Amino acid sequence: MKDHSYSFEFFPPKTEVGIEKLSQVSKELSQLNPAFYSVTYGAGGTTQEATKGTVLSIQKETGIPTAPHLSCIGSDKKQVRQMLNEYKDNGINRIVALRGDLPSGMREIGDFHYANELVEFIRAETGDHFQIEIAAYPEKHPQSKTFDIDIENFGRKAKAGADRAITQYFFNADAYFNFIDSLEKAQIDIPVMPGIMPITNFSQMARFSDAIGAEIPRWLRMRFESYGEDIDSIQKLGNEFVTGMCERLLEQGVPGLHFYSMNRVEPSLAIWNNLGLSEA
């Protein structure tokens, strides 16, 4: 336990009921003593205020360091500077710096075109105040032409001043290890946290995975599809598979695990307990 870092990701709730639920979820997960929480940010900053409010309330309520996602597409330097100052003034010392997506209908990219420019700006504006996390894509960013170009882009983000990275979720541990090997060959040396997605709703997860390029092994897809609407069997297989993948990752020396919680306790906690992390 001491040699690894564990963290959980949330998204900003849209309703009062969702806000109350997330408050309870974050308090329950805080009993696991995670290194930090992170809170996502909509395309073009569409959830900017919701992200900020969620981050500040969670850190205040739980005492767990909470990192806002900050995407730069559609933003100008004045806006980002203001956000950074607000976070500094409120005791936030971690940022997940992303390029982000341009929302449908928005034509102005803004002052930043790539995440490395945002990382560089944060460092220039705030020095070492923030621990900066960046995104990593073991199976290649969907918009990158080649894997090698993706590695080059990652290197630019790392060299701009990032402290470490969190990966897009994956279901093939070899993809992660291949990515790390490629970074080592390129002499890029920052810790890369595997992003872990619990599997509870296979059909929904499969659609999203296909859209972002997260490969589901054929044998695993066929097993899930064979269960049809049998939710219990889907969740059991999902827990077993993701737990096994996490065991392999931890055994081979990953710096920790970052759980995509989907604002729920049970899916991440089931894997946590299977791994025996509370006893480590």
Side-chain angles (χ1 to χ4, degrees):
M1 180 75 172
K2 294 179 181 178
D3 296 331
H4 296 99
S5 170
Y6 299 97
S7 50
F8 298 87
E9 182 168 296
F10 306 128
F11 59 84
K14 295 181 178 179
T15 66
E16 288 298 322
V17 172
I19 291 172
E20 186 174 330
K21 177 185 174 184
L22 180 56
S23 175
Q24 185 60 38
V25 166
S26 63
K27 289 174 183 175
E28 288 187 45
L29 290 176
S30 71
Q31 301 304 307
L32 306 179
N33 296 314
F36 69 96
Y37 292 138
S38 69
V39 180
T40 63
Y41 192 77
T46 51
T47 64
Q48 176 176 302
E49 289 302 314
T51 296
K52 182 176 68 174
T54 303
V55 166
L56 298 184
S57 63
I58 287 177
Q59 181 159 303
K60 181 178 179 180
E61 290 177 357
T62 67
I64 302 297
T66 305
H69 285 209
L70 186 59
S71 63
C72 58
I73 289 293
S75 298
D76 59 37
K77 292 181 179 179
K78 181 180 179 181
Q79 290 174 307
V80 173
R81 183 180 294 115
Q82 180 180 344
M83 288 295 295
L84 293 173
N85 288 335
E86 287 187 49
Y87 283 130
K88 279 184 66 178
D89 292 344
N90 283 279
I92 302 300
N93 58 14
R94 303 181 83 113
I95 292 278
V96 180
L98 308 166
R99 174 181 178 269
D101 299 316
L102 195 65
S104 177
M106 181 182 287
R107 297 185 177 182
E108 293 297 325
I109 292 178
D111 289 343
F112 306 93
H113 291 74
Y114 301 104
N116 65 289
E117 296 172 358
L118 176 60
V119 174
E120 191 173 319
F121 181 78
I122 294 171
R123 282 285 175 245
E125 290 288 317
T126 65
D128 293 330
H129 176 81
F130 291 106
Q131 164 122 3
I132 301 177
E133 324 273 342
I134 55 175
Y137 300 87
E139 296 170 291
K140 187 178 80 63
H141 190 285
Q143 296 177 358
S144 287
K145 293 182 179 179
T146 69
F147 184 78
D148 288 342
I149 290 175
D150 211 34
I151 294 294
E152 292 174 7
N153 291 337
F154 183 86
R156 280 189 280 272
K157 292 189 292 186
K159 292 170 185 174
D163 292 291
R164 64 180 190 169
I166 300 169
T167 76
Q168 173 63 270
Y169 73 81
F170 54 87
F171 299 115
N172 182 350
D174 287 333
Y176 172 86
F177 295 124
N178 177 66
F179 182 76
I180 297 301
D181 288 344
S182 298
L183 294 185
E184 290 178 354
K185 291 175 183 175
Q187 297 184 320
I188 301 168
D189 183 24
I190 65 171
V192 180
M193 298 279 290
I196 304 301
M197 176 67 80
I199 303 173
T200 57
N201 182 324
F202 175 71
S203 58
Q204 184 182 71
M205 187 271 294
R207 286 194 298 272
F208 187 65
S209 299
D210 291 343
I212 65 172
E215 179 190 15
I216 301 171
R218 184 170 180 270
W219 69 267
L220 182 63
R221 185 185 289 267
M222 293 179 69
R223 284 277 304 277
F224 277 120
E225 290 175 346
S226 73
Y227 291 134
E229 299 301 318
D230 184 347
I231 301 301
D232 289 341
S233 294
I234 288 171
Q235 292 184 351
K236 181 181 178 182
L237 175 60
N239 285 340
E240 290 174 353
F241 175 79
V242 176
T243 297
M245 184 179 72
C246 289
E247 287 175 338
R248 183 181 171 199
L249 290 166
L250 291 170
E251 287 169 1
Q252 296 198 32
V254 299
L257 302 172
H258 182 78
F259 292 91
Y260 293 106
S261 77
M262 303 305 292
N263 290 14
R264 297 170 61 191
V265 171
E266 294 80 8
S268 299
L269 185 60
I271 297 166
W272 180 279
N273 288 335
N274 288 346
L275 294 170
L277 295 179
S278 293
E279 304 163 9

